[in-house]
Amino acid sequence: MEIGATKVVQDRLKTTKIEESKDASLVFCWDTHLTKIKGRNVLFIVNASNRYTIAMTDIEPRNWNYYAMYISRVIHGVMQEIGYSEKQIGQYFKMSGDTTVTKTHGRKSVGGINRMAMDAQYFGKKLEKEAKYQWELSEYLNRDICQPEGFDAYGYPSKFFKLDMERLGIAAKRKPAKVIDFSQYIETNRGTNH
């Protein structure tokens, strides 16, 4: 698994030497970015393939010292939270290989992170005080319609994450996710008032 670090995260990690991405499959790549939202530091952990986003706050100093392990644990915990079994999670981590901290995974991935950071500024609720994992903020961000790197259609990051797990054979295939064809939508609704 590759954990891409933006310049802000690299500075926080106090690292001068960071590996280039080794062209791992994007579904096993997570880019991270640190920004301030409502006066608190928020770490975004964003999948490079499907733009699934995890928002964390109150990262303790020791977690920065063991960054790769910390991010892996967060991803593991969130996968549990959204319903994956220990066997499925273990399969994902086994397939992803050793965890390394690298540079980010391309302009589209970084653009996705920037979009998430901007959208988070419009999150209408307060961040949870005692919680490190900001569930509501993450849910809010995962309902943003996008076309991430690993897909050629528009949809929601939460649905794309499920599709990636199905493509990997980790989750059973379900009925196709609802994909929005904007050109067809515009053509169908042109000239009508809603």
Side-chain angles (χ1 to χ4, degrees):
M1 178 182 296
E2 291 186 358
I3 299 165
T6 61
K7 183 78 175 90
V8 175
V9 172
Q10 290 176 37
D11 292 347
R12 182 63 185 85
L13 291 171
K14 297 178 176 71
T15 183
T16 51
K17 181 140 174 48
I18 196 156
E19 293 183 39
E20 292 289 333
S21 173
K22 303 245 190 316
D23 293 324
S25 173
L26 289 178
V27 72
F28 302 119
C29 299
W30 295 78
D31 286 333
T32 58
H33 180 61
L34 185 66
T35 190
K36 277 223 185 291
I37 309 288
K38 299 185 188 298
R40 288 175 70 189
N41 284 330
V42 177
L43 179 71
F44 291 110
I45 305 166
V46 182
N47 187 279
S49 171
N50 51 56
R51 209 194 283 175
Y52 188 82
T53 302
I54 302 168
M56 300 294 293
T57 51
D58 305 329
I59 294 116
E60 296 170 24
R62 71 172 182 266
N63 291 333
W64 292 105
N65 295 335
Y66 302 98
Y67 193 65
M69 185 186 346
Y70 171 73
I71 299 299
S72 294
R73 282 193 184 142
V74 167
I75 294 166
H76 182 279
V78 169
M79 287 180 76
Q80 273 181 322
E81 194 75 35
I82 59 177
Y84 291 95
S85 68
E86 282 302 319
K87 183 179 177 194
Q88 290 171 314
I89 297 167
Q91 190 179 353
Y92 175 78
F93 278 90
K94 185 176 180 190
M95 292 170 81
S96 71
D98 293 338
T99 304
T100 57
V101 178
T102 67
K103 293 185 176 171
T104 53
H105 296 88
R107 289 178 20 203
K108 189 159 187 174
S109 179
V110 172
I113 290 174
N114 290 336
R115 171 66 188 257
M116 293 301 179
M118 185 183 73
D119 286 355
Q121 301 292 343
Y122 298 102
F123 181 59
K125 300 179 181 178
K126 286 192 179 328
L127 296 177
E128 295 174 54
K129 279 241 186 292
E130 301 302 317
K132 292 190 184 315
Y133 174 46
Q134 296 294 328
W135 178 260
E136 283 190 276
L137 176 58
S138 297
E139 285 292 296
Y140 170 79
L141 295 172
N142 287 315
R143 287 192 304 261
D144 178 52
I145 295 173
C146 64
Q147 182 190 359
E149 188 72 35
F151 293 85
D152 58 2
Y154 285 88
Y156 302 106
S158 53
K159 299 286 187 238
F160 286 143
F161 185 80
K162 287 177 182 160
L163 286 173
D164 268 341
M165 293 305 111
E166 290 171 12
R167 286 198 288 206
L168 292 171
I170 290 172
K173 290 207 184 298
R174 284 181 241 123
K175 63 182 195 262
K178 181 170 173 60
V179 175
I180 302 159
D181 182 344
F182 280 118
S183 58
Q184 183 63 47
Y185 176 83
I186 290 167
E187 195 60 39
T188 304
N189 296 301
R190 183 169 280 154
T192 60
N193 290 329
H194 289 277

